[in-house]
Amino acid sequence: MTIKSPYRVKPGSKFRLKDWLTDDTGGFYEEEEVANELEIHRAKLDTLQDVLSAEGQHALLIVLQAMDTGGKDGTIRHIFSGVNPQGVNVTAFKVPTPLEAGHDYLWRVHAAVPRLGTIQIFNRSHYEDVLITRVHKLITDKVAKRRFREINNFEEMLFHNNVTILKFFLHISHKEQTKRLKARCEEKDKHYKISETDFQERKHWDKYQQVYEDAIRATSQKHAPWFVIPSDHKCYRNLSISRIIVDAFEEIFFFKQKTAFDVTKMCGQL
């Protein structure tokens, strides 16, 4: 995959999360300008999704990871509001059920991989098994390194079966998380978004930054790149991600020119 983005983590690079801005706006200064650009991308996504469905030979898997309040739900809502809901699925990976816990950690993930012709969004993902498990010492660093290799192999297998993988870390600052948590506390209609876990996990901020850094460095591959998206500004976060998704679609359909049939030839027979 040849997508060019300032937020793409190059394979094998000496990636350090602290070197990546959380408040970048890409040169945009007005929210209205960002909103107009996002609307253009949403329209393109609607068209490109139709092509994906009609062609039926490729699938798109979008992985969203973030600290609490990072904006995973908002990203999904704002970017995919204009696409056909029949062709988009969202899977939220929470604490494993007894059935899931009785299998290997990738079992439930593989079951949610998109079928060809569709888009699948993971709200959290298999990466939880090398993130929260490390923070709370449920696995050792040795096991985590082994899982990094297994995840790379798993994603490479999906790639070779025509599943394009885009992985996004929604990068927010500790200050911004504080602001968002306070807003949820102060607005009663947002209390449903607050959980005790949010405050418990916040105590482990520095450790989470470390394990995210390790995971992204070890698993950002050419076939399954990580993008560290500055997410303090929600509107620019949405624009940045939508731009990358559109670029990925255009690479599949226009640069590679892999389609299920020759439309011009078929229409010429009428």
Side-chain angles (χ1 to χ4, degrees):
M1 196 181 303
T2 59
I3 297 173
K4 293 182 180 180
S5 168
Y7 308 123
R8 180 172 181 165
V9 179
K10 295 180 180 178
S13 64
K14 295 180 180 180
F15 170 71
R16 296 189 305 174
L17 195 53
K18 67 179 183 179
D19 294 335
W20 293 64
L21 297 175
T22 62
D23 60 353
D24 184 33
T25 61
F28 287 93
Y29 298 101
E30 300 293 336
E31 284 196 15
E32 183 178 356
E33 186 181 6
V34 175
N36 291 339
E37 191 76 11
L38 176 60
E39 190 58 40
I40 293 172
H41 291 167
R42 278 201 290 241
K44 287 183 178 180
L45 280 175
D46 184 32
T47 300
L48 290 165
Q49 183 201 19
D50 287 343
V51 177
L52 180 75
S53 178
E55 187 235 26
Q57 297 298 312
H58 294 85
L60 179 62
L61 172 58
I62 297 169
V63 173
L64 298 177
Q65 290 284 161
M67 299 292 290
D68 291 324
T69 76
K72 299 183 298 298
D73 292 342
T75 295
I76 296 168
R77 182 169 59 252
H78 288 287
I79 294 177
F80 294 95
S81 60
V83 300
N84 186 340
Q86 295 182 94
V88 179
N89 298 295
V90 179
T91 300
F93 290 97
K94 300 180 185 288
V95 177
T97 65
L99 175 63
E100 292 168 342
H103 292 79
D104 67 89
Y105 70 98
L106 288 174
W107 179 78
R108 63 175 182 165
V109 179
H110 203 166
V113 167
R115 75 177 189 277
L116 299 180
T118 67
I119 300 170
Q120 175 71 55
I121 303 168
F122 284 176
N123 186 335
R124 300 190 187 275
S125 66
H126 42 302
Y127 283 93
E128 293 298 300
D129 289 288
V130 291
L131 294 168
I132 191 171
T133 51
R134 288 188 72 195
V135 169
H136 293 285
K137 299 182 179 179
L138 301 176
I139 64 172
T140 64
D141 290 348
K142 182 178 179 180
V143 170
K145 289 179 180 179
R146 188 194 72 217
R147 288 187 176 184
F148 291 154
R149 295 192 297 270
E150 292 168 347
I151 288 172
N152 283 335
N153 290 336
F154 171 65
E155 292 176 349
E156 184 175 14
M157 180 273 294
L158 295 182
F159 174 78
H160 287 305
N161 283 274
N162 288 349
V163 179
T164 294
I165 306 168
L166 301 175
K167 301 179 294 191
F168 299 99
F169 175 61
L170 312 185
H171 191 26
I172 62 170
S173 65
H174 190 269
K175 181 179 179 181
E176 179 63 20
Q177 188 191 61
T178 302
K179 176 182 175 183
R180 294 181 186 183
L181 284 173
K182 284 183 176 180
R184 291 180 181 183
C185 290
E186 293 168 359
E187 298 180 38
K188 290 185 178 180
D189 61 348
K190 290 187 177 181
H191 282 185
Y192 74 95
K193 292 186 175 183
I194 302 173
S195 71
E196 185 178 353
T197 302
D198 293 341
F199 294 92
Q200 292 174 343
E201 295 305 305
R202 179 175 162 81
K203 298 176 184 178
H204 304 289
W205 177 276
D206 290 340
K207 183 62 177 177
Y208 270 109
Q209 297 295 295
Q210 178 194 328
V211 296
Y212 263 113
E213 182 177 289
D214 291 345
I216 292 170
R217 184 192 299 120
T219 62
S220 190
Q221 304 294 322
K222 184 177 180 180
H223 59 268
W226 273 104
F227 299 88
V228 177
I229 304 297
S231 300
D232 281 359
H233 300 286
K234 299 176 183 179
C235 56
Y236 184 68
R237 172 201 69 202
N238 299 334
L239 175 60
S240 300
I241 294 174
S242 68
R243 178 182 291 156
I244 292 167
I245 295 172
V246 167
D247 287 348
F249 265 128
E250 291 182 341
E251 179 174 321
I252 292 170
F253 297 123
F254 301 122
F255 297 157
K256 293 184 179 179
Q257 296 183 345
K258 291 183 177 179
T259 55
F261 51 83
D262 186 329
V263 177
T264 302
K265 183 177 180 180
M266 294 288 289
C267 291
Q269 298 174 9
L270 295 176

